[in-house]
Amino acid sequence: MTTSSSEHGVSLGMPEPPAAAYPDDVRARLEADAREVIARYPDSRSALLPLLHLVQSEEGHVTRTGMRFCAEMLGLTTAEVTAVATFYTMYRRRPSGDYQVGVCTNTLCAVMGGDAIFETLQEHLGVGNGETTDDGKVTLEHIECNAACDFAPVVMVNWEFFDNQTPATARDLVDDLRAGRPVQPTRGARICTFKETARILAGFPDERPGAVEEGGSAGPASLAGLRLAKGEPAPARVVHPRGQEPQDGPTSRQAEEEGE
């Protein structure tokens, strides 16, 4: 007994036609922006990553039209552009929400509550991993390490950090996003839409008043590690017990040395 390719979900039909071009007015605007980006690099093909962010800022995800545009601007093949666009998860390949809500479910965040947060948001929003709410506001996804393990569990919205989350705070967060209420991350500028974020990542300035001044930096837990690496004295505790204020004082080793 043989099994047809269609039963395996494999299509052997005609190949897709060439991607459509942008409308003339959109093309002219994107070309001007693209030339500004390309001029920053001695080798034009090095501009591919920011150009993918640029076309993502136009449609909210990287379309075949966007990849064709990047290829034409850089003298690449669409296969070369597609290979890059499909490698990095920061480039969306299908329509998604105004706010990309990513819950870290890597080891430390998971055991600190990330799995519970993700399950809570799936139930609260009525969506699965990679799916978008009916109002088009929130796309939920579980993501790998955010490089913020000292603030686990961490949630990111359009690449901005929300540290030390709980199922309740994460639920409030997505409710505020859907209601259009201002949302301020733990570290960084107030949240803007995914399209606006993509344009900033393409290398264009954030023109929102005060947004640059709100830019984030490393938090106290991260800076404690940096101070230790520099050989500076350590506080009595790097991380204080939950529900208690941090206490300043000599380390146990310092106390022993002082007692000698």
Side-chain angles (χ1 to χ4, degrees):
M1 178 179 176
T2 60
T3 305
S4 69
S5 59
S6 60
E7 291 179 87
H8 287 299
V10 177
S11 174
L12 299 180
M14 295 296 292
E16 291 184 290
Y22 284 120
D24 291 343
D25 58 332
V26 175
R27 171 85 187 203
R29 173 166 47 78
L30 289 177
E31 276 192 12
D33 287 340
R35 290 195 179 97
E36 181 178 338
V37 172
I38 294 170
R40 301 170 187 160
Y41 298 89
D43 185 344
S44 64
R45 69 182 298 146
S46 299
L48 178 54
L49 295 183
L51 284 195
L52 286 169
H53 283 299
L54 176 64
V55 297
Q56 186 159 249
S57 73
E58 183 66 29
E59 299 176 89
H61 66 294
V62 177
T63 63
R64 293 177 63 237
T65 295
M67 288 189 282
R68 170 184 169 181
F69 172 81
C70 292
E72 291 172 350
M73 293 299 300
L74 299 175
L76 302 174
T77 66
T78 54
E80 289 174 311
V81 175
T82 301
V84 174
T86 56
F87 180 82
Y88 294 103
T89 57
M90 60 190 175
Y91 301 120
R92 309 299 178 186
R93 297 299 311 284
R94 59 184 180 182
S96 55
D98 292 334
Y99 304 101
Q100 306 283 328
V101 176
V103 181
C104 182
T105 55
N106 214 333
T107 306
L108 185 56
C109 278
V111 300
M112 294 293 287
D115 285 342
I117 291 172
F118 187 66
E119 291 172 6
T120 296
L121 292 184
Q122 284 189 103
E123 181 178 351
H124 183 63
L125 296 172
V127 297
N129 182 46
E131 296 179 351
T132 303
T133 54
D134 291 338
D135 58 7
K137 293 292 185 181
V138 171
T139 297
L140 177 67
E141 62 179 349
H142 73 79
I143 53 181
E144 294 300 322
C145 184
N146 287 320
C149 302
D150 38 0
F151 298 102
V154 175
V155 173
M156 295 192 86
V157 179
N158 294 350
W159 314 122
E160 297 288 358
F161 287 101
F162 290 81
D163 302 326
N164 301 311
Q165 292 294 292
T166 66
T169 60
R171 188 169 56 243
D172 291 342
L173 170 61
V174 296
D175 285 346
D176 287 342
L177 292 171
R178 298 182 75 184
R181 290 186 283 267
V183 172
Q184 188 75 33
T186 310
R187 295 170 281 136
R190 60 193 181 279
I191 296 299
C192 58
T193 67
F194 185 66
K195 288 182 178 181
E196 292 170 324
T197 300
R199 183 169 176 83
I200 295 169
L201 291 175
F204 294 94
D206 188 340
E207 298 178 348
R208 296 174 297 159
V212 174
E213 291 73 18
E214 295 172 354
S217 62
S222 301
L223 293 177
L226 178 61
R227 287 194 292 269
L228 288 172
K230 290 181 176 180
E232 298 178 14
R237 297 185 66 97
V238 175
V239 179
H240 60 279
R242 289 180 181 270
Q244 297 182 24
E245 292 297 322
Q247 299 176 353
D248 294 325
T251 65
S252 57
R253 177 176 296 179
Q254 288 174 318
E256 292 173 0
E257 292 174 351
E258 291 174 0
E260 291 179 356

mmCIF file of all heavy atoms in Angstrom, residues 200-218:
data_model
loop_
_atom_site.group_PDB
_atom_site.id
_atom_site.type_symbol
_atom_site.label_atom_id
_atom_site.label_comp_id
_atom_site.label_asym_id
_atom_site.label_seq_id
_atom_site.Cartn_x
_atom_site.Cartn_y
_atom_site.Cartn_z
ATOM 1 N N ILE A 200 12.337 51.320 14.854
ATOM 2 C CA ILE A 200 13.460 51.704 15.714
ATOM 3 C C ILE A 200 14.614 50.717 15.543
ATOM 4 O O ILE A 200 15.778 51.107 15.443
ATOM 5 C CB ILE A 200 13.005 51.772 17.178
ATOM 6 C CG1 ILE A 200 11.968 52.894 17.356
ATOM 7 C CG2 ILE A 200 14.196 52.004 18.107
ATOM 8 C CD1 ILE A 200 11.269 52.869 18.698
ATOM 9 N N LEU A 201 14.295 49.419 15.476
ATOM 10 C CA LEU A 201 15.330 48.407 15.292
ATOM 11 C C LEU A 201 15.980 48.507 13.915
ATOM 12 O O LEU A 201 17.112 48.057 13.723
ATOM 13 C CB LEU A 201 14.743 47.011 15.488
ATOM 14 C CG LEU A 201 14.324 46.677 16.921
ATOM 15 C CD1 LEU A 201 13.634 45.314 16.975
ATOM 16 C CD2 LEU A 201 15.521 46.699 17.857
ATOM 17 N N ALA A 202 15.281 49.103 12.959
ATOM 18 C CA ALA A 202 15.875 49.325 11.639
ATOM 19 C C ALA A 202 16.920 50.432 11.681
ATOM 20 O O ALA A 202 17.667 50.615 10.712
ATOM 21 C CB ALA A 202 14.789 49.667 10.622
ATOM 22 N N GLY A 203 16.971 51.165 12.811
ATOM 23 C CA GLY A 203 18.005 52.182 12.958
ATOM 24 C C GLY A 203 17.509 53.601 12.887
ATOM 25 O O GLY A 203 18.315 54.540 12.801
ATOM 26 N N PHE A 204 16.194 53.791 12.966
ATOM 27 C CA PHE A 204 15.649 55.133 12.914
ATOM 28 C C PHE A 204 15.322 55.610 14.327
ATOM 29 O O PHE A 204 14.967 54.809 15.201
ATOM 30 C CB PHE A 204 14.403 55.168 12.027
ATOM 31 C CG PHE A 204 14.716 54.886 10.583
ATOM 32 C CD1 PHE A 204 14.617 53.604 10.079
ATOM 33 C CD2 PHE A 204 15.153 55.900 9.744
ATOM 34 C CE1 PHE A 204 14.933 53.329 8.755
ATOM 35 C CE2 PHE A 204 15.469 55.639 8.421
ATOM 36 C CZ PHE A 204 15.361 54.352 7.922
ATOM 37 N N PRO A 205 15.430 56.910 14.592
ATOM 38 C CA PRO A 205 15.269 57.406 15.965
ATOM 39 C C PRO A 205 13.844 57.224 16.478
ATOM 40 O O PRO A 205 12.880 57.247 15.717
ATOM 41 C CB PRO A 205 15.639 58.892 15.845
ATOM 42 C CG PRO A 205 15.435 59.224 14.396
ATOM 43 C CD PRO A 205 15.758 57.989 13.637
ATOM 44 N N ASP A 206 13.769 57.014 17.781
ATOM 45 C CA ASP A 206 12.475 56.964 18.464
ATOM 46 C C ASP A 206 12.039 58.411 18.669
ATOM 47 O O ASP A 206 12.633 59.148 19.466
ATOM 48 C CB ASP A 206 12.625 56.239 19.800
ATOM 49 C CG ASP A 206 11.291 55.971 20.476
ATOM 50 O OD1 ASP A 206 10.303 56.650 20.143
ATOM 51 O OD2 ASP A 206 11.234 55.093 21.356
ATOM 52 N N GLU A 207 11.026 58.847 17.945
ATOM 53 C CA GLU A 207 10.626 60.256 17.942
ATOM 54 C C GLU A 207 9.589 60.589 18.999
ATOM 55 O O GLU A 207 9.134 61.730 19.082
ATOM 56 C CB GLU A 207 10.109 60.633 16.551
ATOM 57 C CG GLU A 207 11.178 60.484 15.463
ATOM 58 C CD GLU A 207 10.660 60.820 14.075
ATOM 59 O OE1 GLU A 207 9.414 60.942 13.941
ATOM 60 O OE2 GLU A 207 11.483 60.956 13.158
ATOM 61 N N ARG A 208 9.235 59.629 19.841
ATOM 62 C CA ARG A 208 8.269 59.923 20.894
ATOM 63 C C ARG A 208 8.910 60.810 21.956
ATOM 64 O O ARG A 208 10.009 60.515 22.429
ATOM 65 C CB ARG A 208 7.765 58.625 21.530
ATOM 66 C CG ARG A 208 6.994 57.728 20.568
ATOM 67 C CD ARG A 208 6.662 56.408 21.248
ATOM 68 N NE ARG A 208 7.872 55.673 21.602
ATOM 69 C CZ ARG A 208 7.939 54.723 22.530
ATOM 70 N NH1 ARG A 208 6.856 54.396 23.216
ATOM 71 N NH2 ARG A 208 9.077 54.101 22.777
ATOM 72 N N PRO A 209 8.259 61.889 22.358
ATOM 73 C CA PRO A 209 8.851 62.784 23.361
ATOM 74 C C PRO A 209 9.204 62.042 24.645
ATOM 75 O O PRO A 209 8.374 61.343 25.220
ATOM 76 C CB PRO A 209 7.739 63.819 23.610
ATOM 77 C CG PRO A 209 6.908 63.797 22.362
ATOM 78 C CD PRO A 209 6.939 62.369 21.882
ATOM 79 N N GLY A 210 10.450 62.181 25.070
ATOM 80 C CA GLY A 210 10.889 61.601 26.330
ATOM 81 C C GLY A 210 11.260 60.136 26.278
ATOM 82 O O GLY A 210 11.763 59.591 27.269
ATOM 83 N N ALA A 211 11.046 59.471 25.147
ATOM 84 C CA ALA A 211 11.283 58.026 25.088
ATOM 85 C C ALA A 211 12.755 57.682 25.234
ATOM 86 O O ALA A 211 13.107 56.696 25.872
ATOM 87 C CB ALA A 211 10.729 57.459 23.783
ATOM 88 N N VAL A 212 13.626 58.479 24.641
ATOM 89 C CA VAL A 212 15.056 58.189 24.718
ATOM 90 C C VAL A 212 15.536 58.298 26.168
ATOM 91 O O VAL A 212 16.312 57.457 26.647
ATOM 92 C CB VAL A 212 15.851 59.146 23.809
ATOM 93 C CG1 VAL A 212 17.350 58.941 24.003
ATOM 94 C CG2 VAL A 212 15.465 58.935 22.349
ATOM 95 N N GLU A 213 15.050 59.310 26.872
ATOM 96 C CA GLU A 213 15.450 59.494 28.269
ATOM 97 C C GLU A 213 14.952 58.346 29.151
ATOM 98 O O GLU A 213 15.534 58.053 30.200
ATOM 99 C CB GLU A 213 14.920 60.819 28.805
ATOM 100 C CG GLU A 213 15.571 62.064 28.211
ATOM 101 C CD GLU A 213 15.147 62.350 26.782
ATOM 102 O OE1 GLU A 213 14.106 61.799 26.337
ATOM 103 O OE2 GLU A 213 15.850 63.103 26.093
ATOM 104 N N GLU A 214 13.877 57.689 28.726
ATOM 105 C CA GLU A 214 13.338 56.581 29.495
ATOM 106 C C GLU A 214 14.088 55.275 29.245
ATOM 107 O O GLU A 214 13.781 54.253 29.855
ATOM 108 C CB GLU A 214 11.862 56.355 29.129
ATOM 109 C CG GLU A 214 10.941 57.504 29.502
ATOM 110 C CD GLU A 214 9.535 57.314 28.957
ATOM 111 O OE1 GLU A 214 9.320 56.343 28.204
ATOM 112 O OE2 GLU A 214 8.663 58.124 29.275
ATOM 113 N N GLY A 215 15.050 55.303 28.350
ATOM 114 C CA GLY A 215 15.746 54.086 27.968
ATOM 115 C C GLY A 215 16.275 53.313 29.162
ATOM 116 O O GLY A 215 16.715 53.891 30.162
ATOM 117 N N GLY A 216 16.225 52.004 29.066
ATOM 118 C CA GLY A 216 16.555 51.160 30.200
ATOM 119 C C GLY A 216 18.045 50.931 30.362
ATOM 120 O O GLY A 216 18.862 51.294 29.517
ATOM 121 N N SER A 217 18.376 50.355 31.490
ATOM 122 C CA SER A 217 19.757 49.971 31.771
ATOM 123 C C SER A 217 19.717 48.715 32.621
ATOM 124 O O SER A 217 18.643 48.209 32.947
ATOM 125 C CB SER A 217 20.489 51.092 32.516
ATOM 126 O OG SER A 217 19.870 51.334 33.770
ATOM 127 N N ALA A 218 20.862 48.223 32.978
ATOM 128 C CA ALA A 218 20.911 47.030 33.815
ATOM 129 C C ALA A 218 20.288 47.320 35.176
ATOM 130 O O ALA A 218 20.423 48.419 35.717
ATOM 131 C CB ALA A 218 22.353 46.580 33.981
#
